[in-house]
mmCIF file of all heavy atoms in Angstrom:
data_model
loop_
_atom_site.group_PDB
_atom_site.id
_atom_site.type_symbol
_atom_site.label_atom_id
_atom_site.label_comp_id
_atom_site.label_asym_id
_atom_site.label_seq_id
_atom_site.Cartn_x
_atom_site.Cartn_y
_atom_site.Cartn_z
ATOM 1 N N GLU A 65 8.634 -9.305 -26.008
ATOM 2 C CA GLU A 65 10.057 -9.205 -25.728
ATOM 3 C C GLU A 65 10.327 -8.384 -24.464
ATOM 4 O O GLU A 65 9.608 -7.436 -24.156
ATOM 5 C CB GLU A 65 10.787 -8.564 -26.912
ATOM 6 C CG GLU A 65 10.779 -9.401 -28.176
ATOM 7 C CD GLU A 65 11.593 -8.740 -29.288
ATOM 8 O OE1 GLU A 65 12.136 -7.638 -29.036
ATOM 9 O OE2 GLU A 65 11.664 -9.321 -30.382
ATOM 10 N N GLU A 66 11.396 -8.764 -23.776
ATOM 11 C CA GLU A 66 11.867 -7.998 -22.623
ATOM 12 C C GLU A 66 12.433 -6.661 -23.092
ATOM 13 O O GLU A 66 13.056 -6.559 -24.152
ATOM 14 C CB GLU A 66 12.944 -8.798 -21.892
ATOM 15 C CG GLU A 66 13.607 -8.055 -20.743
ATOM 16 C CD GLU A 66 14.705 -8.868 -20.104
ATOM 17 O OE1 GLU A 66 14.423 -9.967 -19.600
ATOM 18 O OE2 GLU A 66 15.868 -8.394 -20.115
ATOM 19 N N GLN A 67 12.197 -5.627 -22.286
ATOM 20 C CA GLN A 67 12.715 -4.291 -22.612
ATOM 21 C C GLN A 67 13.475 -3.738 -21.417
ATOM 22 O O GLN A 67 13.095 -3.939 -20.274
ATOM 23 C CB GLN A 67 11.576 -3.337 -22.976
ATOM 24 C CG GLN A 67 10.822 -3.706 -24.236
ATOM 25 C CD GLN A 67 9.817 -2.639 -24.621
ATOM 26 O OE1 GLN A 67 10.022 -1.454 -24.364
ATOM 27 N NE2 GLN A 67 8.729 -3.062 -25.249
ATOM 28 N N VAL A 68 14.555 -3.034 -21.726
ATOM 29 C CA VAL A 68 15.352 -2.341 -20.711
ATOM 30 C C VAL A 68 15.339 -0.855 -21.064
ATOM 31 O O VAL A 68 15.647 -0.479 -22.198
ATOM 32 C CB VAL A 68 16.789 -2.868 -20.641
ATOM 33 C CG1 VAL A 68 17.584 -2.097 -19.582
ATOM 34 C CG2 VAL A 68 16.797 -4.363 -20.346
ATOM 35 N N SER A 69 14.977 -0.025 -20.105
ATOM 36 C CA SER A 69 14.922 1.421 -20.352
ATOM 37 C C SER A 69 15.563 2.165 -19.195
ATOM 38 O O SER A 69 15.467 1.754 -18.043
ATOM 39 C CB SER A 69 13.480 1.893 -20.552
ATOM 40 O OG SER A 69 12.690 1.572 -19.425
ATOM 41 N N THR A 70 16.240 3.240 -19.536
ATOM 42 C CA THR A 70 16.835 4.128 -18.531
ATOM 43 C C THR A 70 16.373 5.550 -18.800
ATOM 44 O O THR A 70 16.098 5.924 -19.946
ATOM 45 C CB THR A 70 18.367 4.072 -18.557
ATOM 46 O OG1 THR A 70 18.829 4.462 -19.868
ATOM 47 C CG2 THR A 70 18.876 2.678 -18.234
ATOM 48 N N ALA A 71 16.258 6.322 -17.732
ATOM 49 C CA ALA A 71 15.818 7.709 -17.880
ATOM 50 C C ALA A 71 16.406 8.553 -16.766
ATOM 51 O O ALA A 71 16.459 8.121 -15.607
ATOM 52 C CB ALA A 71 14.300 7.802 -17.859
ATOM 53 N N PHE A 72 16.864 9.736 -17.137
ATOM 54 C CA PHE A 72 17.292 10.748 -16.182
ATOM 55 C C PHE A 72 16.346 11.916 -16.370
ATOM 56 O O PHE A 72 16.339 12.562 -17.432
ATOM 57 C CB PHE A 72 18.741 11.160 -16.432
ATOM 58 C CG PHE A 72 19.242 12.192 -15.473
ATOM 59 C CD1 PHE A 72 19.427 11.888 -14.131
ATOM 60 C CD2 PHE A 72 19.523 13.488 -15.910
ATOM 61 C CE1 PHE A 72 19.887 12.847 -13.231
ATOM 62 C CE2 PHE A 72 19.978 14.445 -15.020
ATOM 63 C CZ PHE A 72 20.167 14.115 -13.684
ATOM 64 N N THR A 73 15.495 12.172 -15.358
ATOM 65 C CA THR A 73 14.379 13.089 -15.550
ATOM 66 C C THR A 73 14.414 14.265 -14.580
ATOM 67 O O THR A 73 14.892 14.161 -13.454
ATOM 68 C CB THR A 73 13.036 12.355 -15.358
ATOM 69 O OG1 THR A 73 12.994 11.789 -14.039
ATOM 70 C CG2 THR A 73 12.887 11.248 -16.393
ATOM 71 N N LEU A 74 13.898 15.379 -15.075
ATOM 72 C CA LEU A 74 13.630 16.561 -14.257
ATOM 73 C C LEU A 74 12.124 16.676 -14.135
ATOM 74 O O LEU A 74 11.408 16.668 -15.143
ATOM 75 C CB LEU A 74 14.211 17.815 -14.909
ATOM 76 C CG LEU A 74 13.867 19.160 -14.230
ATOM 77 C CD1 LEU A 74 14.454 19.227 -12.830
ATOM 78 C CD2 LEU A 74 14.366 20.331 -15.083
ATOM 79 N N ASN A 75 11.618 16.782 -12.896
ATOM 80 C CA ASN A 75 10.177 16.742 -12.665
ATOM 81 C C ASN A 75 9.738 17.891 -11.763
ATOM 82 O O ASN A 75 10.470 18.295 -10.853
ATOM 83 C CB ASN A 75 9.780 15.420 -11.996
ATOM 84 C CG ASN A 75 10.330 14.217 -12.728
ATOM 85 O OD1 ASN A 75 9.792 13.803 -13.743
ATOM 86 N ND2 ASN A 75 11.436 13.653 -12.220
ATOM 87 N N TYR A 76 8.530 18.374 -12.031
ATOM 88 C CA TYR A 76 7.940 19.431 -11.197
ATOM 89 C C TYR A 76 6.489 19.061 -10.935
ATOM 90 O O TYR A 76 5.776 18.590 -11.833
ATOM 91 C CB TYR A 76 8.003 20.783 -11.900
ATOM 92 C CG TYR A 76 7.380 21.905 -11.092
ATOM 93 C CD1 TYR A 76 8.099 22.560 -10.100
ATOM 94 C CD2 TYR A 76 6.058 22.289 -11.310
ATOM 95 C CE1 TYR A 76 7.533 23.575 -9.351
ATOM 96 C CE2 TYR A 76 5.482 23.309 -10.567
ATOM 97 C CZ TYR A 76 6.225 23.941 -9.588
ATOM 98 O OH TYR A 76 5.652 24.944 -8.848
ATOM 99 N N GLY A 77 6.046 19.254 -9.701
ATOM 100 C CA GLY A 77 4.661 18.970 -9.352
ATOM 101 C C GLY A 77 4.137 19.931 -8.312
ATOM 102 O O GLY A 77 4.910 20.511 -7.527
ATOM 103 N N ALA A 78 2.834 20.108 -8.276
ATOM 104 C CA ALA A 78 2.198 20.983 -7.292
ATOM 105 C C ALA A 78 0.825 20.432 -6.953
ATOM 106 O O ALA A 78 0.128 19.884 -7.815
ATOM 107 C CB ALA A 78 2.082 22.404 -7.823
ATOM 108 N N ASP A 79 0.444 20.557 -5.685
ATOM 109 C CA ASP A 79 -0.874 20.133 -5.212
ATOM 110 C C ASP A 79 -1.484 21.256 -4.389
ATOM 111 O O ASP A 79 -0.768 21.952 -3.651
ATOM 112 C CB ASP A 79 -0.778 18.878 -4.337
ATOM 113 C CG ASP A 79 -0.253 17.675 -5.107
ATOM 114 O OD1 ASP A 79 -0.881 17.288 -6.101
ATOM 115 O OD2 ASP A 79 0.796 17.136 -4.713
ATOM 116 N N VAL A 80 -2.786 21.399 -4.496
ATOM 117 C CA VAL A 80 -3.516 22.356 -3.675
ATOM 118 C C VAL A 80 -4.745 21.646 -3.125
ATOM 119 O O VAL A 80 -5.367 20.836 -3.820
ATOM 120 C CB VAL A 80 -3.919 23.612 -4.484
ATOM 121 C CG1 VAL A 80 -4.835 23.252 -5.648
ATOM 122 C CG2 VAL A 80 -4.573 24.648 -3.582
ATOM 123 N N ARG A 81 -5.055 21.918 -1.867
ATOM 124 C CA ARG A 81 -6.187 21.261 -1.221
ATOM 125 C C ARG A 81 -6.920 22.261 -0.352
ATOM 126 O O ARG A 81 -6.341 22.856 0.555
ATOM 127 C CB ARG A 81 -5.704 20.080 -0.383
ATOM 128 C CG ARG A 81 -6.819 19.291 0.273
ATOM 129 C CD ARG A 81 -6.283 18.019 0.912
ATOM 130 N NE ARG A 81 -5.333 18.294 1.977
ATOM 131 C CZ ARG A 81 -4.656 17.348 2.627
ATOM 132 N NH1 ARG A 81 -4.808 16.088 2.267
ATOM 133 N NH2 ARG A 81 -3.833 17.673 3.598
ATOM 134 N N THR A 82 -8.197 22.453 -0.648
ATOM 135 C CA THR A 82 -9.050 23.348 0.132
ATOM 136 C C THR A 82 -10.330 22.597 0.465
ATOM 137 O O THR A 82 -11.308 22.630 -0.284
ATOM 138 C CB THR A 82 -9.364 24.636 -0.652
ATOM 139 O OG1 THR A 82 -8.148 25.263 -1.040
ATOM 140 C CG2 THR A 82 -10.154 25.611 0.202
ATOM 141 N N VAL A 83 -10.321 21.884 1.581
ATOM 142 C CA VAL A 83 -11.478 21.103 2.007
ATOM 143 C C VAL A 83 -11.753 21.381 3.473
ATOM 144 O O VAL A 83 -10.883 21.843 4.211
ATOM 145 C CB VAL A 83 -11.246 19.594 1.791
ATOM 146 C CG1 VAL A 83 -11.159 19.268 0.308
ATOM 147 C CG2 VAL A 83 -9.992 19.120 2.514
ATOM 148 N N ASP A 84 -12.989 21.083 3.891
ATOM 149 C CA ASP A 84 -13.369 21.352 5.278
ATOM 150 C C ASP A 84 -12.708 20.380 6.255
ATOM 151 O O ASP A 84 -12.418 20.743 7.396
ATOM 152 C CB ASP A 84 -14.894 21.307 5.434
ATOM 153 C CG ASP A 84 -15.498 20.010 4.903
ATOM 154 O OD1 ASP A 84 -14.765 19.218 4.275
ATOM 155 O OD2 ASP A 84 -16.699 19.793 5.109
ATOM 156 N N ASN A 85 -12.427 19.147 5.803
ATOM 157 C CA ASN A 85 -11.800 18.148 6.659
ATOM 158 C C ASN A 85 -11.037 17.177 5.764
ATOM 159 O O ASN A 85 -11.660 16.357 5.080
ATOM 160 C CB ASN A 85 -12.846 17.403 7.491
ATOM 161 C CG ASN A 85 -12.233 16.388 8.437
ATOM 162 O OD1 ASN A 85 -11.021 16.165 8.438
ATOM 163 N ND2 ASN A 85 -13.071 15.761 9.246
ATOM 164 N N PRO A 86 -9.694 17.227 5.740
ATOM 165 C CA PRO A 86 -8.940 16.358 4.829
ATOM 166 C C PRO A 86 -9.223 14.876 5.029
ATOM 167 O O PRO A 86 -9.193 14.103 4.061
ATOM 168 C CB PRO A 86 -7.477 16.691 5.162
ATOM 169 C CG PRO A 86 -7.515 18.057 5.746
ATOM 170 C CD PRO A 86 -8.816 18.139 6.495
ATOM 171 N N ALA A 87 -9.480 14.447 6.284
ATOM 172 C CA ALA A 87 -9.720 13.035 6.553
ATOM 173 C C ALA A 87 -11.156 12.610 6.268
ATOM 174 O O ALA A 87 -11.428 11.419 6.120
ATOM 175 C CB ALA A 87 -9.375 12.710 8.006
ATOM 176 N N ASP A 88 -12.073 13.560 6.170
ATOM 177 C CA ASP A 88 -13.475 13.232 5.901
ATOM 178 C C ASP A 88 -14.126 14.426 5.202
ATOM 179 O O ASP A 88 -14.968 15.115 5.765
ATOM 180 C CB ASP A 88 -14.205 12.906 7.207
ATOM 181 C CG ASP A 88 -15.635 12.444 6.967
ATOM 182 O OD1 ASP A 88 -15.979 12.150 5.807
ATOM 183 O OD2 ASP A 88 -16.408 12.386 7.941
ATOM 184 N N PRO A 89 -13.735 14.700 3.954
ATOM 185 C CA PRO A 89 -14.195 15.925 3.293
ATOM 186 C C PRO A 89 -15.653 15.850 2.863
ATOM 187 O O PRO A 89 -16.140 14.818 2.411
ATOM 188 C CB PRO A 89 -13.271 16.021 2.064
ATOM 189 C CG PRO A 89 -12.868 14.609 1.793
ATOM 190 C CD PRO A 89 -12.797 13.931 3.137
ATOM 191 N N ARG A 90 -16.356 16.972 3.037
ATOM 192 C CA ARG A 90 -17.727 17.110 2.537
ATOM 193 C C ARG A 90 -17.880 18.327 1.646
ATOM 194 O O ARG A 90 -18.826 18.410 0.863
ATOM 195 C CB ARG A 90 -18.733 17.223 3.691
ATOM 196 C CG ARG A 90 -18.993 15.945 4.450
ATOM 197 C CD ARG A 90 -20.345 16.012 5.136
ATOM 198 N NE ARG A 90 -21.434 16.048 4.183
ATOM 199 C CZ ARG A 90 -22.587 16.692 4.387
ATOM 200 N NH1 ARG A 90 -22.781 17.380 5.496
ATOM 201 N NH2 ARG A 90 -23.550 16.668 3.483
ATOM 202 N N ARG A 91 -16.944 19.264 1.767
ATOM 203 C CA ARG A 91 -17.018 20.475 0.957
ATOM 204 C C ARG A 91 -15.602 20.904 0.567
ATOM 205 O O ARG A 91 -14.690 20.865 1.389
ATOM 206 C CB ARG A 91 -17.702 21.603 1.725
ATOM 207 C CG ARG A 91 -17.873 22.878 0.920
ATOM 208 C CD ARG A 91 -18.407 24.016 1.784
ATOM 209 N NE ARG A 91 -19.717 23.708 2.337
ATOM 210 C CZ ARG A 91 -20.864 23.886 1.681
ATOM 211 N NH1 ARG A 91 -20.842 24.374 0.451
ATOM 212 N NH2 ARG A 91 -22.003 23.582 2.264
ATOM 213 N N GLY A 92 -15.425 21.322 -0.674
ATOM 214 C CA GLY A 92 -14.135 21.831 -1.109
ATOM 215 C C GLY A 92 -13.608 21.081 -2.321
ATOM 216 O O GLY A 92 -14.330 20.352 -3.005
ATOM 217 N N TYR A 93 -12.311 21.259 -2.569
ATOM 218 C CA TYR A 93 -11.700 20.628 -3.732
ATOM 219 C C TYR A 93 -10.224 20.384 -3.475
ATOM 220 O O TYR A 93 -9.611 20.960 -2.573
ATOM 221 C CB TYR A 93 -11.857 21.509 -4.983
ATOM 222 C CG TYR A 93 -11.050 22.791 -4.918
ATOM 223 C CD1 TYR A 93 -9.740 22.854 -5.401
ATOM 224 C CD2 TYR A 93 -11.586 23.941 -4.338
ATOM 225 C CE1 TYR A 93 -9.004 24.021 -5.329
ATOM 226 C CE2 TYR A 93 -10.857 25.109 -4.257
ATOM 227 C CZ TYR A 93 -9.564 25.146 -4.763
ATOM 228 O OH TYR A 93 -8.824 26.295 -4.677
ATOM 229 N N SER A 94 -9.660 19.495 -4.271
ATOM 230 C CA SER A 94 -8.221 19.275 -4.277
ATOM 231 C C SER A 94 -7.803 19.050 -5.722
ATOM 232 O O SER A 94 -8.571 18.506 -6.528
ATOM 233 C CB SER A 94 -7.833 18.067 -3.406
ATOM 234 O OG SER A 94 -8.441 16.888 -3.891
ATOM 235 N N ALA A 95 -6.604 19.482 -6.048
ATOM 236 C CA ALA A 95 -6.125 19.368 -7.427
ATOM 237 C C ALA A 95 -4.612 19.286 -7.418
ATOM 238 O O ALA A 95 -3.941 19.733 -6.475
ATOM 239 C CB ALA A 95 -6.601 20.556 -8.267
ATOM 240 N N GLY A 96 -4.076 18.707 -8.472
ATOM 241 C CA GLY A 96 -2.628 18.610 -8.594
ATOM 242 C C GLY A 96 -2.211 18.386 -10.037
ATOM 243 O O GLY A 96 -3.009 17.919 -10.858
ATOM 244 N N PHE A 97 -0.983 18.723 -10.345
ATOM 245 C CA PHE A 97 -0.461 18.458 -11.681
ATOM 246 C C PHE A 97 1.016 18.110 -11.582
ATOM 247 O O PHE A 97 1.708 18.448 -10.608
ATOM 248 C CB PHE A 97 -0.671 19.660 -12.617
ATOM 249 C CG PHE A 97 0.304 20.777 -12.399
ATOM 250 C CD1 PHE A 97 1.505 20.832 -13.111
ATOM 251 C CD2 PHE A 97 0.040 21.778 -11.483
ATOM 252 C CE1 PHE A 97 2.402 21.864 -12.910
ATOM 253 C CE2 PHE A 97 0.933 22.815 -11.273
ATOM 254 C CZ PHE A 97 2.123 22.854 -11.994
ATOM 255 N N GLN A 98 1.502 17.412 -12.600
ATOM 256 C CA GLN A 98 2.905 17.015 -12.692
ATOM 257 C C GLN A 98 3.376 17.220 -14.126
ATOM 258 O O GLN A 98 2.618 16.991 -15.074
ATOM 259 C CB GLN A 98 3.080 15.535 -12.303
ATOM 260 C CG GLN A 98 2.626 15.186 -10.907
ATOM 261 C CD GLN A 98 2.572 13.682 -10.676
ATOM 262 O OE1 GLN A 98 3.038 12.898 -11.502
ATOM 263 N NE2 GLN A 98 1.983 13.268 -9.554
ATOM 264 N N ILE A 99 4.627 17.609 -14.254
ATOM 265 C CA ILE A 99 5.264 17.722 -15.553
ATOM 266 C C ILE A 99 6.707 17.256 -15.396
ATOM 267 O O ILE A 99 7.388 17.640 -14.441
ATOM 268 C CB ILE A 99 5.195 19.173 -16.111
ATOM 269 C CG1 ILE A 99 5.899 19.253 -17.468
ATOM 270 C CG2 ILE A 99 5.750 20.187 -15.119
ATOM 271 C CD1 ILE A 99 5.681 20.602 -18.155
ATOM 272 N N GLY A 100 7.141 16.381 -16.269
ATOM 273 C CA GLY A 100 8.497 15.850 -16.158
ATOM 274 C C GLY A 100 8.889 15.112 -17.413
ATOM 275 O O GLY A 100 8.041 14.655 -18.190
ATOM 276 N N GLY A 101 10.182 14.984 -17.626
ATOM 277 C CA GLY A 101 10.635 14.275 -18.828
ATOM 278 C C GLY A 101 12.134 14.120 -18.878
ATOM 279 O O GLY A 101 12.864 14.535 -17.962
ATOM 280 N N GLY A 102 12.568 13.490 -19.925
ATOM 281 C CA GLY A 102 13.993 13.250 -20.116
ATOM 282 C C GLY A 102 14.365 13.424 -21.578
ATOM 283 O O GLY A 102 13.514 13.585 -22.454
ATOM 284 N N ALA A 103 15.676 13.376 -21.828
ATOM 285 C CA ALA A 103 16.186 13.577 -23.179
ATOM 286 C C ALA A 103 17.334 12.618 -23.441
ATOM 287 O O ALA A 103 18.085 12.250 -22.531
ATOM 288 C CB ALA A 103 16.651 15.023 -23.372
ATOM 289 N N ARG A 104 17.465 12.193 -24.718
ATOM 290 C CA ARG A 104 18.554 11.302 -25.081
ATOM 291 C C ARG A 104 19.912 11.928 -24.812
ATOM 292 O O ARG A 104 20.877 11.230 -24.488
ATOM 293 C CB ARG A 104 18.447 10.935 -26.558
ATOM 294 C CG ARG A 104 17.289 9.992 -26.875
ATOM 295 C CD ARG A 104 17.271 9.650 -28.339
ATOM 296 N NE ARG A 104 16.233 8.660 -28.641
ATOM 297 C CZ ARG A 104 15.964 8.224 -29.866
ATOM 298 N NH1 ARG A 104 16.651 8.698 -30.908
ATOM 299 N NH2 ARG A 104 15.032 7.319 -30.046
ATOM 300 N N ALA A 105 19.977 13.228 -24.918
ATOM 301 C CA ALA A 105 21.256 13.910 -24.705
ATOM 302 C C ALA A 105 21.686 13.875 -23.247
ATOM 303 O O ALA A 105 22.842 14.178 -22.934
ATOM 304 C CB ALA A 105 21.155 15.355 -25.182
#
């Protein structure tokens, strides 16, 4: 069945990147997270 859904959401996200070369990394790390949601009210 076809479904129709609507949502009004508040979202927060953050990213961190520590690498030797973002375009061609060989050493380091990158990480990120997101949290967001909505309510019927």
Side-chain angles (χ1 to χ4, degrees):
E65 294 183 0
E66 175 183 300
Q67 295 186 31
V68 179
S69 58
T70 59
F72 180 68
T73 59
L74 173 64
N75 309 281
Y76 179 83
D79 296 301
V80 61
R81 183 171 63 185
T82 304
V83 293
D84 53 352
N85 182 356
D88 185 13
R90 287 203 66 212
R91 183 187 299 276
Y93 68 90
S94 61
F97 77 91
Q98 301 169 9
I99 179 171
R104 288 181 175 177

